[in-house]
């Protein structure tokens, strides 16, 4: 069994410190676990005994034994992808299976809970990471057609500071946060939640550190095809959320007005 599979098997039982070590290992696999135990502990922000406890949970007698298993049995996704011939049929199958699993992980009751937050919030702000930013942008563009007060969190610290001045109770953040978790986004989200904003967090099975601050948590069992992290899964769940919101808002009048104003500004009337 490879290391990622072992981590998946015990992850739910890990302490916060052990989870921090697991995230570091997976974010820089296999290299993070090939240095010294002390170096791994420092990168994870934990003590060396915490790393040792994780090693034991994974079924290894020593840290050196874990390293040996990695060297002999584990290869990074990117190395495997480059070494093996491209198989588009298999990649398509993997994507379909990942999509099915992702949608199955988001039951109707959870969609209704997210939709309720999105409809009753005074204002909605969305943000994401390196790739999940695309899902956040998609949510903003579509949701803004359904209701007012929907904005994208700006990129720079100065712009975010101005946003924070006006965020408070009644506002909602929708954050997409997947491995490798975005520390700059975490600073903004924590500050906004401290000011009274609510948080809907969309994350992966390894669970963003922001999970403890979330009012609503959506976990997606993301599966990757080769080195590609498919944005398809995040967008698909966002689509379901938007459909659920639209059913609650019945936005026909707003959409008709939006179309008329768009035509007017385009010089078509």
């Amino acid at each position: 069994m490879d290391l990622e599979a072992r981590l998946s098997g015990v992850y739910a039982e890990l302490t916060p410190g052990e989870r921090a070590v697991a995230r570091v290992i997976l974010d820089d696999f296999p290299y993070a676990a090939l240095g010294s135990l002390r170096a791994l502990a420092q990168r994870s922000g934990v003590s060396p005994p915490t790393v040792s406890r994780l090693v034991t949970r994974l079924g290894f007698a020593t840290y050196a034994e874990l390293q040996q298993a990695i060297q002999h049995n584990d290869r990074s996704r990117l190395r495997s992808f480059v070494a093996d011939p491209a198989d588009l049929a298999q990649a398509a199958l993997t994507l379909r299976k990942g999509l099915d699993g992702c949608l199955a992980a988001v039951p109707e009751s959870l969609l209704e809970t997210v939709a309720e937050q999105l409809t009753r919030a005074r204002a909605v702000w969305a943000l994401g990471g390196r790739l999940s930013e695309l899902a956040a942008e998609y949510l903003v563009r579509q949701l803004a057609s359904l209701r007012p007060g929907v904005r994208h969190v700006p990129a720079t610290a100065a712009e975010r500071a101005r946003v924070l001045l006006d965020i408070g109770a009644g506002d909602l953040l929708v954050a997409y946060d997947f491995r490798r978790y975005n520390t700059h986004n975490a600073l903004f989200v924590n500050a906004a939640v401290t000011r009274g904003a609510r948080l809907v967090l969309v994350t992966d099975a390894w669970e963003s550190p922001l999970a403890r601050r979330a009012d609503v948590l959506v976990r997606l069992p993301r599966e990757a095809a080769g080195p590609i992290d498919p944005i398809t899964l995040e967008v698909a769940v966002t689509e379901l959320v938007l459909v659920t919101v639209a059913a609650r808002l019945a936005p026909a009048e707003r959409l008709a007005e939006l179309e008329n104003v768009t035509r007017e500004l385009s010089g078509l009337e």
Side-chain angles (χ1 to χ4, degrees):
M1 182 184 294
D2 64 30
L3 183 60
E4 186 168 9
R6 291 194 187 206
L7 284 169
S8 298
V10 302
Y11 193 78
E13 305 168 3
L14 300 183
T15 66
E18 290 166 351
R19 289 187 178 191
V21 179
R23 293 189 190 108
V24 170
I25 291 173
L26 291 168
D27 284 347
D28 189 19
F29 185 82
Y31 308 107
L34 295 181
S36 70
L37 185 149
R38 183 172 296 276
L40 178 56
Q42 289 176 341
R43 287 186 62 178
S44 306
V46 301
S47 65
T50 299
V51 177
S52 296
R53 284 193 296 270
L54 177 61
V55 170
T56 300
R57 283 183 183 270
L58 293 174
F60 298 103
T62 65
Y63 183 65
E65 184 177 311
L66 178 146
Q67 291 179 312
Q68 186 177 23
I70 291 174
Q71 291 168 340
H72 285 129
N73 300 318
D74 289 302
R75 293 187 300 170
S76 70
R77 276 185 186 144
L78 183 57
R79 284 184 174 182
S80 297
F81 187 81
V82 171
D84 299 330
D87 186 341
L88 294 181
Q90 182 59 46
L93 179 61
T94 299
L95 186 57
R96 289 191 196 99
K97 290 174 62 179
L99 183 57
D100 288 342
C102 182
L103 297 181
V106 188
E108 184 176 347
S109 59
L110 181 55
L111 290 171
E112 291 288 355
T113 299
V114 175
E116 180 184 4
Q117 296 286 334
L118 290 171
T119 53
R120 68 182 176 90
R122 179 182 66 179
V124 177
W125 295 87
L127 75 166
R130 183 175 61 89
L131 291 177
S132 58
E133 180 76 3
L134 299 173
E137 178 65 26
Y138 181 70
L139 175 69
V140 168
R141 291 193 181 198
Q142 298 288 56
L143 188 61
S145 298
L146 303 177
R147 57 150 291 168
V150 181
R151 300 288 185 273
H152 192 269
V153 175
T156 70
E159 292 173 309
R160 290 185 172 192
R162 286 191 287 271
V163 169
L164 279 175
L165 290 179
D166 298 323
I167 278 185
D171 294 330
L172 178 70
L173 288 177
V174 181
Y176 295 80
D177 197 26
F178 299 90
R179 282 175 34 210
R180 315 168 177 243
Y181 304 109
N182 190 301
T183 55
H184 294 293
N185 285 352
L187 289 173
F188 176 83
V189 169
N190 282 319
V193 170
T194 299
R195 289 172 174 265
R198 297 176 68 81
L199 173 62
V200 171
L201 176 65
V202 185
T203 186
D204 50 28
W206 303 105
E207 208 170 274
S208 161
L210 291 171
R212 62 187 178 83
R213 306 299 301 270
D215 297 281
V216 182
L217 184 62
V218 181
R219 295 186 189 87
L220 305 185
R222 283 161 50 112
E223 298 292 339
I228 307 302
D229 291 326
I231 191 69
T232 308
L233 309 186
E234 294 147 41
V235 172
V237 170
T238 302
E239 289 273 9
L240 291 181
V241 168
L242 289 165
V243 168
T244 311
V245 170
R248 283 173 169 262
L249 293 177
E253 184 176 342
R254 179 177 174 84
L255 291 173
E257 183 178 3
L258 176 62
E259 183 177 351
N260 290 335
V261 173
T262 301
R263 288 175 60 85
E264 180 181 338
L265 294 177
S266 301
L268 299 178
E269 293 184 352

